[in-house]
Amino acid sequence: MGYNDTIETVAEHLITTHVHDNNGKKDDHLVPFEGRLNWDIALMTMQKVGYDGTYMMELANTGSPASVLEQARAARARFDKLMAY
């Protein structure tokens, strides 16, 4: 089952969610778009099921706090752009 199927399965129970990326082997807590997740599909599916709650980033400190914060800001801008459609 892909994550888009998982989102559709649990859609009626979603209140809030935390988001992060990974490289497919462990729970890396990377900034979105820094790993292997297909955020286009994931965010499209979240919109499809009507989710309009919070997207809380749960991130590991993979560099300096300032650089992780800047990556998070850039990811947020990409989220906003993808969800504007």
Side-chain angles (χ1 to χ4, degrees):
M1 181 182 300
Y3 47 84
N4 54 329
D5 295 328
T6 302
I7 292 168
E8 289 180 5
T9 299
V10 301
E12 67 185 81
H13 305 287
L14 287 175
I15 297 169
T16 189
T17 186
H18 77 267
V19 295
H20 56 85
D21 215 328
N22 66 66
N23 288 310
K25 296 182 181 185
K26 62 180 184 166
D27 203 17
D28 296 310
H29 293 269
L30 300 175
V31 174
F33 307 101
E34 297 295 318
R36 295 180 49 192
L37 291 176
N38 185 327
W39 289 100
D40 292 340
I41 291 173
L43 293 173
M44 180 181 63
T45 305
M46 293 295 276
Q47 288 180 307
K48 177 181 171 185
V49 301
Y51 180 75
D52 65 354
T54 299
Y55 291 85
M56 177 71 70
M57 289 188 196
E58 183 177 357
L59 307 175
N61 187 13
T62 56
S64 73
S67 68
V68 173
L69 180 58
E70 187 54 39
Q71 289 175 303
R73 284 185 181 130
R76 168 66 192 273
R78 286 182 72 180
F79 268 45
D80 289 346
K81 185 177 179 183
L82 286 169
M83 293 189 305
Y85 296 106

